[in-house]
Amino acid sequence: QVQVVESGGGLVQAGGSLRLSCTTSGLTFGHYAMGWFRQAPGKEREGISCIKWSGSATVYADSVKGRFTISRDNAKNTLYLQMNSLKPEDTAMYYCAAGAMWSALPCRPSSYNYWGQGTQVTVSA
């Protein structure tokens, strides 16, 4: 059974930082592209950053480019998202997901197969 578990969310003031982590079990982590997605109340889930299975390629949404950094440690089956210069508009539930992709790196929710339950990030003004 595949499990995806996010951690590291919380309440932070604008301008602050948080580091999200995501661990998986039940799948070969190094064989999957991984992504971070978020969903704010009343909005659709959006892809904010994705990383290739090898870590050799990453993509970022324009809204987080230059502030967020995605990384992975395949030896530890762990995905990270370093979030700096947080803004109130970053407030959302953040999800981690795994996608069975080798070459392409789409960063849309429909391309990912396994999802975590999410971790809440709240940025106060």
Side-chain angles (χ1 to χ4, degrees), residues 82-103:
Q82 179 66 43
M83 304 187 295
N84 299 329
S85 302
L86 282 161
K87 305 175 181 180
E89 51 263 44
D90 293 318
T91 295
M93 186 71 78
Y94 282 69
Y95 298 91
C96 167
M101 295 167 284
W102 281 104
S103 55

Side-chain angles (χ1 to χ4, degrees), residues 50-91:
C50 296
I51 186 167
K52 205 170 181 178
W53 62 273
S54 61
S56 61
T58 58
V59 295
Y60 294 93
D62 288 344
S63 58
V64 306
K65 203 171 292 183
R67 300 188 297 123
F68 291 10
T69 303
I70 191 171
S71 61
R72 65 188 297 161
D73 185 336
N74 287 352
K76 295 182 178 180
N77 289 359
T78 304
L79 175 74
Y80 304 100
L81 184 69
Q82 179 66 43
M83 304 187 295
N84 299 329
S85 302
L86 282 161
K87 305 175 181 180
E89 51 263 44
D90 293 318
T91 295

Side-chain angles (χ1 to χ4, degrees), residues 7-76:
S7 62
L11 174 64
V12 64
Q13 288 187 330
S17 298
L18 282 174
R19 189 194 197 200
L20 304 184
S21 298
C22 168
T23 59
T24 70
S25 60
L27 55 78
T28 304
F29 182 80
H31 290 183
Y32 284 78
M34 298 295 297
W36 287 102
F37 302 82
R38 68 186 181 188
Q39 187 167 19
K43 295 189 177 181
E44 292 187 355
R45 190 171 298 189
E46 62 171 339
I48 56 172
S49 187
C50 296
I51 186 167
K52 205 170 181 178
W53 62 273
S54 61
S56 61
T58 58
V59 295
Y60 294 93
D62 288 344
S63 58
V64 306
K65 203 171 292 183
R67 300 188 297 123
F68 291 10
T69 303
I70 191 171
S71 61
R72 65 188 297 161
D73 185 336
N74 287 352
K76 295 182 178 180

